[in-house]
Amino acid sequence: MVDASLRAIKWYRSLATSRGRREAGAFLVEGDRAIKQIMGICPEGIIEIVAKEDVLPVYSRYKVRHVNEKQFRSISSTKTPQGLIAIVRTPQGIYSDILPENIGKRILLLEDIQDPGNVGTLIRTAAAFDYNGVILSEKCADPLSPKCAQASAGSILSLWLRRNAGYLALADKLDRAGYSIIVASLKAKGSPSLLNEKDMIILGLGNEVSGPSCKLIEMAKHTIKIEISREKAESLNVAACGAICIYLSSRAIQ
């Protein structure tokens, strides 16, 4: 990596792209609250702080790059920049097809969910209810993109992540290891109460429009549907559906 004092502003801007993040081995987290969340989870993961003004003493342990208003806005991905950005190391193994050693009992599987806000919100919700990891298909929004990281509110390093084309192979490996794959689908008949009956689960959620694929449904031990008042709302947003399912599944391990 180039020394922070020598980096061009375009280097920071490049972290808004998938290629830039992979080449740099880093991503952006914006805002004081989200950065402090990262500091609490993985303080050594922060490489550098980019700021418009003097930073609080809590950030004194890190290298700080001061920029002007125009430069900061060119780096920030938000409409109302918060004045503080952290450059964070990419989590180890995120794009690999190898599961971590400590898998845990609760896994979220996201298939082709393309809205970065939905992906970030689901990661944040999973972390809040003690899920251990998230498997994402390659067509999912990149969890390290600025909008995903923003929506996760700094929870992005709270659990392990795996995003690749072999997501179903990972799910199959876990299935053979004793995990129950439970998929939420509008076409399902099963009750979400099934989430309370299994000790080790993979909760599967599909694309915002088309839902889970036939292959994922075929792999599922159970499919479930959240009943709603369809006279008032046709369906739930995938992030809302996921939040309900995550909460219900967490009740089983209290």
Side-chain angles (χ1 to χ4, degrees), residues 97-99 168-179 219:
D97 58 0
I98 300 174
L99 291 165
L168 290 179
L170 292 181
D172 180 63
K173 184 175 181 178
L174 291 172
D175 177 54
R176 288 184 277 111
Y179 288 77
M219 291 178 66

Side-chain angles (χ1 to χ4, degrees), residues 127-148:
F129 288 99
D130 290 326
Y131 268 57
N132 305 101
V134 182
I135 297 172
L136 305 97
S137 71
E138 198 172 40
K139 292 182 180 179
C140 274
D142 187 341
L144 302 187
S145 67
K147 289 184 179 179
C148 276

Side-chain angles (χ1 to χ4, degrees), residues 92-104:
Q92 188 174 8
I94 182 172
Y95 301 115
S96 80
D97 58 0
I98 300 174
L99 291 165
E101 290 185 12
N102 299 316
I103 297 171

